[in-house]
Amino acid sequence: HHLLITMFPSPGLEGDGDLKFLLTGGTLVKVRSTSWQKSRYYKLQEDCKTMWHESRRTFKPKQTFSVEDIESLRHGRLSEGLQKYTHPSAEDRCFSILFKDHHKHLDLMAASAEDARRWVSGLEKLVSNMRSLSRQTKSEHWIFNCMRKADKNEDNKMTLKELKHFLRQINVEVDDTYAEELFKKCDKSKSGSLEGPEIKHYYDLLTHREEIDVMFKKYANSEGHMSARDLLTFLLTEQREQVGLGHAVTLINKYEMDETAKQTQHMTKDGFLMYMHHEDGAVLNPAHSAVHQDMGQPLNHYYISSSHNTYLTADQLKGPSSTEAYIRALMKGCRCVELDCWDGSSGEPVIYHGYTLTSKVLFRDVIKAIKDYAFKVGVLTPPPEHMTPSWLLRPYPVILSLENHCTVPQQKLMAHHMASILGEALVTTPVSSTMPTRFPSPEELKGKFLIKGKRLNKLNAVFSNNNSAEVDSVSEEDEAGDSKENGDKKAKIQLAKELSDMVLYCRSVHFGGFEHAKDSQAFYEMSSLKESKAFSLADTSGPAFLHHNMDKLTRIYPAGSRTDSSNYNPVPMWNTGCQIVALNFQTTGKEMDLNQGRFLANGGCGYALKPEFQRDPSSQMNPSSLSKGPWLQKKMFHVMVISAQQLPKVNKEKHKSIVDPLVRVEVCGVDADNASKETNHIENNGFNPMWNESFRFLVHVPELAMVRFLVEDYDSTSQNDLVGQYCLPLTSVQNGYRHVPLLTKRGDVISSAGLFVHLMLLDTK
């Protein structure tokens, strides 16, 4: 057989005008400073995967970067560099390319606004195309069809580069190291290219999965294929899915690549492998990857993904403050951001960490960035002005938590900037026409911004003619526990009426105890608690804390002593029903993994509906002592860690640093459910390690439990290195044989790698 590789390098974009524009290329000005702004020629290479640009360096006259390394694009003068080093009149000609893993971004300026739009649009289409890796790859891209059409192609050889590109077209990701090793093994003639049979051999070696072969053979009763009925039997028996024959046929149409098998409603082993590796075979219930919860409950009935000191990109003492930090947090699904506002020297309010050496960023620039990126997902540029809330990609409300240290004139400027930039999206009047008694729902607040801060009077003043003074004094601090800043805890600041009037549903008040709150606090009055105070209250007054959160919001924030921007464990705070559990989004680690996992379900919209027993006023749950009640639903969680595929090298500096992987499985929930178990490590095998080790976890309150899978590179002399991790709510786990995607510590998918497990959540007495 010969192999046809005459397909267009970027399927789905054939004939696209913006793509042709990139392939032709053009001159762009690279901006590094006021004085360093140099013209460079940029163009997309023919593989549609690599950007080439000229360089004036003696040793590097030509430089490239991979389109796959692009994290996102920003159209306009949105980066700090472009704002600082270019004139406002160049707004529409400017754009920035941001790279994964926090590599330095590229600030560029095109000759015209139209050219800039085409560069951004073309690159976004390419990035989007790569990310989607369409689950329904067209049959003519399938390896066997290509091989059958061999006589149409005169050159039937493939280099390593062509082969990797070809495999990507058929949805088979391959790690570079393993790609090279397998290529050498298959290139018997040492010619540097593979021919038809060798390519088939390469594909077989790459995709060989003994554990899946066994499973497939058990159910394939139709001449080595699975009929739709065979597949249904597998789904009912092994995957414990409650589905019918129609669903099995849908899966065959979705994943089977052999056209002949598809026409007879059969699934080949390769089609079965595709199914096991994509969303229907994944650990996360596919129904939960969209918004599936009731979004019509009051706002305080949800956990809300929340960021602390959002403006920081590093530590709390001298790290840079940045609009980019807000964009990153919002793109990760954060729905409550913090703005530490101080008087700026030029008369414009600024945001930074007071009394420290962190850099300053203009308040208005932050509000503009929030406006542009609040309701977006992925790599898109800011939504067009005409976009209505129903079009929004992450549509639920964003809360702006103001820490206001400004004088009255600059507070008035803050109010002006928010009103003019956020416009009608800013909630400035209550949703109802009469005095509300509870929060509106996320559904009612789609596409809206809420302000959390101090208010001069009660909310009912809005419905009376009782206008307060233009300016009055309020307590500066609303946190319980020690002050975030230096100075007198009871310091007062003057508050401008314009700013006060923007605070409706999130009025900051000092916490005076649960009894005081019950007697004196309105539903819209909320307190912020430092982590030590909150954990103490959770231990000593769990039921009171839970009931407090049934009709009010509570915000938790990290201790000021965490100058390295480290985080506390958010799970105990969710267990007491706290909604705004604020973490340092810029800091990687278990705590942020848990936060991303908590909000992975419900479409990643940043809101997760609390369990019924955290919303029902008759509930008597105490998170620290497990008395009987509807929350107590004992389950046995059976986990079998079977194998992993294509685990990347962790230490790429060492030439032969092959991974020695082990897998740890953690359950995090109420105290009684916290547990961690790990496999043995396997030496020198990251390509296809096999464990077949089983664990059992007794879970008392499954609705509060999170599951975290970690793959680590074992090291006997020092701390293990993280290879990849994945975290999700236990209630979103699918039973049966499942593929677990792996993410880097920053939350990016490692496309070629994965874990293969068998999971079963069963009732127990």
Side-chain angles (χ1 to χ4, degrees):
H1 291 293
H2 297 160
L3 185 63
L4 174 71
I5 53 166
T6 55
M7 68 189 75
F8 193 79
S10 201
L13 294 178
E14 296 89 339
D16 183 87
D18 290 333
L19 190 64
K20 286 178 180 172
F21 176 81
L22 297 189
L23 287 164
T24 305
T27 301
L28 293 168
V29 176
K30 186 175 176 182
V31 178
R32 278 195 184 156
S33 68
T34 312
S35 56
W36 202 104
Q37 298 190 14
K38 301 188 179 176
S39 292
R40 296 284 185 265
Y41 196 84
Y42 285 76
K43 83 186 281 286
L44 179 66
Q45 295 195 323
E46 293 302 318
D47 65 355
C48 291
K49 296 280 190 292
T50 314
M51 285 296 298
W52 173 92
H53 58 99
E54 63 177 331
S55 170
R56 300 293 157 86
R57 292 185 191 177
T58 313
F59 301 108
K60 285 190 174 180
K62 297 175 184 179
Q63 287 193 309
T64 62
F65 61 84
S66 171
V67 175
E68 285 184 319
D69 291 334
I70 296 175
E71 181 183 71
S72 56
L73 291 118
R74 311 263 193 262
H75 190 183
R77 296 167 63 252
L78 291 175
S79 75
E80 287 175 40
L82 287 172
Q83 286 175 5
K84 208 183 285 183
Y85 307 131
T86 63
H87 193 269
S89 62
E91 178 75 35
D92 293 340
R93 295 194 288 128
C94 293
F95 66 98
S96 302
I97 301 175
L98 281 77
F99 297 98
K100 294 174 184 173
D101 295 327
H102 289 231
H103 288 308
K104 206 168 183 182
H105 60 267
L106 259 181
D107 285 337
L108 300 165
M109 188 160 56
S112 68
E114 176 59 13
D115 279 2
R117 185 200 66 73
R118 297 195 76 176
W119 277 106
V120 172
S121 176
L123 285 169
E124 279 186 343
K125 286 174 187 175
L126 275 179
V127 174
S128 244
N129 212 38
M130 282 186 189
R131 289 191 185 177
S132 66
L133 277 173
S134 170
R135 305 306 180 212
Q136 298 185 49
T137 312
K138 293 175 186 173
S139 57
E140 63 263 30
H141 294 164
W142 187 235
I143 190 167
F144 302 114
N145 281 346
C146 288
M147 292 172 80
R148 278 197 288 273
K149 293 176 183 174
D151 55 352
K152 291 186 185 175
N153 184 13
E154 291 174 18
D155 173 21
N156 58 7
K157 297 177 180 180
M158 293 185 90
T159 61
L160 174 60
K161 188 177 178 182
E162 288 171 327
L163 186 59
K164 277 159 54 178
H165 174 66
F166 173 72
L167 288 168
R168 206 170 282 128
Q169 299 302 322
I170 59 172
N171 265 359
V172 177
E173 288 287 338
V174 58
D175 178 90
D176 286 351
T177 310
Y178 301 126
E180 201 169 335
E181 286 172 10
L182 286 182
F183 192 88
K184 285 174 184 171
K185 196 179 284 188
C186 295
D187 184 14
K188 305 286 188 198
S189 59
K190 304 278 188 289
S191 65
S193 60
L194 303 185
E195 298 194 38
E198 292 175 326
I199 293 165
K200 173 74 169 70
H201 183 215
Y202 184 100
Y203 172 80
D204 288 343
L205 285 176
L206 181 66
T207 61
H208 176 64
R209 297 278 299 278
E210 190 181 329
E211 67 277 30
I212 285 184
D213 286 357
V214 171
M215 212 188 320
F216 184 76
K217 282 172 187 167
K218 182 178 174 183
Y219 289 93
N221 297 317
S222 309
E223 298 174 359
H225 290 179
M226 270 189 187
S227 66
R229 195 153 293 282
D230 293 340
L231 180 57
L232 177 62
T233 306
F234 168 78
L235 296 172
L236 297 173
T237 310
E238 302 291 353
Q239 309 296 69
R240 302 292 175 98
E241 293 183 24
Q242 296 177 315
V243 293
L245 192 61
H247 183 66
V249 172
T250 300
L251 292 181
I252 290 171
N253 289 331
K254 190 172 184 181
Y255 296 112
E256 182 50 57
M257 298 305 190
D258 187 302
E259 203 56 50
T260 310
K262 192 188 286 190
Q263 283 168 5
T264 57
Q265 293 187 352
H266 280 68
M267 186 176 259
T268 62
K269 190 174 75 180
D270 293 310
F272 186 68
L273 190 66
M274 274 293 173
Y275 152 71
M276 292 304 303
H277 259 274
H278 291 89
E279 65 265 29
D280 292 285
V283 62
L284 175 69
N285 184 337
H288 292 192
S289 60
V291 174
H292 64 97
Q293 295 177 336
D294 174 9
M295 300 307 287
Q297 301 270 335
L299 198 69
N300 65 306
H301 283 190
Y302 300 84
Y303 305 124
I304 302 170
S305 181
S306 305
S307 157
H308 173 248
N309 286 355
T310 316
Y311 43 88
L312 294 182
T313 55
D315 64 48
Q316 313 271 314
L317 298 179
K318 56 186 187 303
S321 306
S322 168
T323 54
E324 186 57 40
Y326 284 90
I327 295 169
R328 285 187 188 280
L330 292 165
M331 300 289 255
K332 281 185 177 177
C334 179
R335 300 289 86 186
C336 178
V337 295
E338 186 179 14
L339 296 88
D340 230 334
C341 311
W342 299 79
D343 275 7
S345 55
S346 62
E348 279 285 345
V350 293
I351 288 175
Y352 84 112
H353 200 47
Y355 306 115
T356 67
L357 300 175
T358 60
S359 64
K360 299 175 174 67
V361 56
L362 286 176
F363 178 82
R364 67 166 182 238
D365 288 346
V366 169
I367 297 299
K368 174 77 165 62
I370 291 171
K371 165 72 164 32
D372 286 344
Y373 289 92
F375 305 113
K376 290 168 42 280
V377 174
V379 297
L380 300 171
T381 43
E385 289 300 316
H386 64 270
M387 190 176 271
T388 60
S390 61
W391 289 33
L392 299 174
L393 296 164
R394 193 177 265 132
Y396 297 110
V398 170
I399 300 168
L400 308 186
S401 180
L402 300 184
E403 284 286 327
N404 172 21
H405 308 278
C406 293
T407 55
V408 169
Q410 295 208 14
Q411 287 178 37
K412 290 182 177 182
L413 261 181
M414 285 167 61
H416 167 75
H417 289 323
M418 288 193 289
S420 62
I421 294 168
L422 302 178
E424 290 183 6
L426 179 64
V427 177
T428 53
T429 55
V431 172
S432 55
S433 56
T434 56
M435 179 61 196
T437 55
R438 65 174 213 172
F439 287 96
S441 69
E443 190 63 36
E444 290 174 286
L445 294 169
K446 265 185 172 179
K448 298 291 186 183
F449 294 95
L450 298 175
I451 306 299
K452 172 196 166 291
K454 293 288 182 183
R455 186 179 165 88
L456 292 169
N457 50 19
K458 293 272 190 183
L459 188 58
N460 51 13
V462 174
F463 297 94
S464 68
N465 293 322
N466 177 20
N467 279 333
S468 63
E470 289 296 306
V471 174
D472 207 344
S473 294
V474 290
S475 167
E476 183 179 351
E477 297 300 335
D478 60 285
E479 287 86 3
D482 59 12
S483 170
K484 268 176 69 175
E485 283 74 38
N486 303 333
D488 183 2
K489 289 180 197 173
K490 294 182 180 176
K492 294 215 163 195
I493 61 160
Q494 292 220 302
L495 182 62
K497 182 178 185 296
E498 291 90 335
L499 197 58
S500 165
D501 286 351
M502 288 181 168
V503 176
L504 296 176
Y505 292 109
C506 301
R507 183 192 191 191
S508 300
V509 297
H510 183 77
F511 180 73
F514 294 124
E515 281 303 312
H516 172 266
K518 194 174 175 182
D519 296 339
S520 312
Q521 229 171 287
F523 78 90
Y524 56 85
E525 294 179 317
M526 62 176 289
S527 302
S528 292
L529 306 175
K530 191 178 72 166
E531 64 175 276
S532 53
K533 174 75 171 174
F535 275 77
S536 170
L537 289 170
D539 288 341
T540 58
S541 315
F545 209 163
L546 200 68
H547 277 264
H548 174 82
N549 289 324
M550 284 180 189
D551 60 4
K552 295 176 184 70
L553 285 168
T554 302
R555 175 178 169 270
I556 315 297
Y557 64 93
S561 57
R562 293 182 183 272
T563 52
D564 59 352
S565 290
S566 59
N567 281 311
Y568 57 91
N569 180 3
V571 175
M573 297 295 92
W574 292 325
N575 291 347
T576 57
C578 294
Q579 303 87 350
I580 300 178
V581 180
L583 297 179
N584 290 302
F585 265 56
Q586 73 273 25
T587 307
T588 59
K590 179 176 179 175
E591 298 81 13
M592 267 309 290
D593 292 350
L594 288 166
N595 193 76
Q596 293 305 94
R598 164 57 69 202
F599 297 100
L600 181 69
N602 206 28
C605 73
Y607 284 81
L609 185 64
K610 298 198 285 185
E612 175 68 25
F613 54 78
Q614 289 193 341
R615 297 178 276 130
D616 180 3
S618 66
S619 173
Q620 294 301 312
M621 186 202 183
N622 184 348
S624 30
S625 67
L626 291 171
S627 54
K628 281 193 177 178
W631 49 87
L632 201 62
Q633 301 166 24
K634 275 194 191 177
K635 306 266 185 190
M636 189 62 76
F637 185 40
H638 298 261
V639 179
M640 184 181 189
V641 178
I642 301 171
S643 62
Q645 293 74 47
Q646 297 194 56
L647 301 174
K649 276 182 170 184
V650 178
N651 189 346
K652 291 182 179 171
E653 303 301 312
K654 294 183 193 167
H655 185 58
K656 292 185 177 174
S657 58
I658 299 170
V659 181
D660 300 330
L662 65 83
V663 178
R664 183 178 307 124
V665 183
E666 298 175 347
V667 174
C668 307
V670 296
D671 288 346
D673 292 344
N674 291 331
S676 174
K677 299 185 180 181
E678 68 180 52
T679 65
N680 293 310
H681 73 275
I682 291 175
E683 291 197 4
N684 289 349
N685 187 355
F687 182 65
N688 57 358
M690 186 95 70
W691 290 275
N692 288 321
E693 291 188 45
S694 295
F695 308 125
R696 293 196 309 167
F697 297 87
L698 178 61
V699 182
H700 299 81
V701 188
E703 287 188 88
L704 293 179
M706 307 282 297
V707 188
R708 185 169 175 246
F709 298 91
L710 288 99
V711 181
E712 294 182 342
D713 184 10
Y714 173 76
D715 191 323
S716 58
T717 58
S718 63
Q719 193 176 353
N720 294 347
D721 287 320
L722 176 74
V723 177
Q725 55 80 25
Y726 192 75
C727 185
L728 75 167
L730 183 61
T731 50
S732 294
V733 167
Q734 291 206 93
N735 282 330
Y737 290 97
R738 298 296 171 187
H739 171 74
V740 180
L742 291 175
L743 312 178
T744 64
K745 63 183 180 180
R746 295 207 173 276
D748 298 319
V749 177
I750 307 168
S751 56
S752 56
L755 260 185
F756 188 56
V757 296
H758 183 268
L759 307 169
M760 203 55 69
L761 188 63
L762 300 173
D763 291 325
T764 184
K765 291 179 181 175

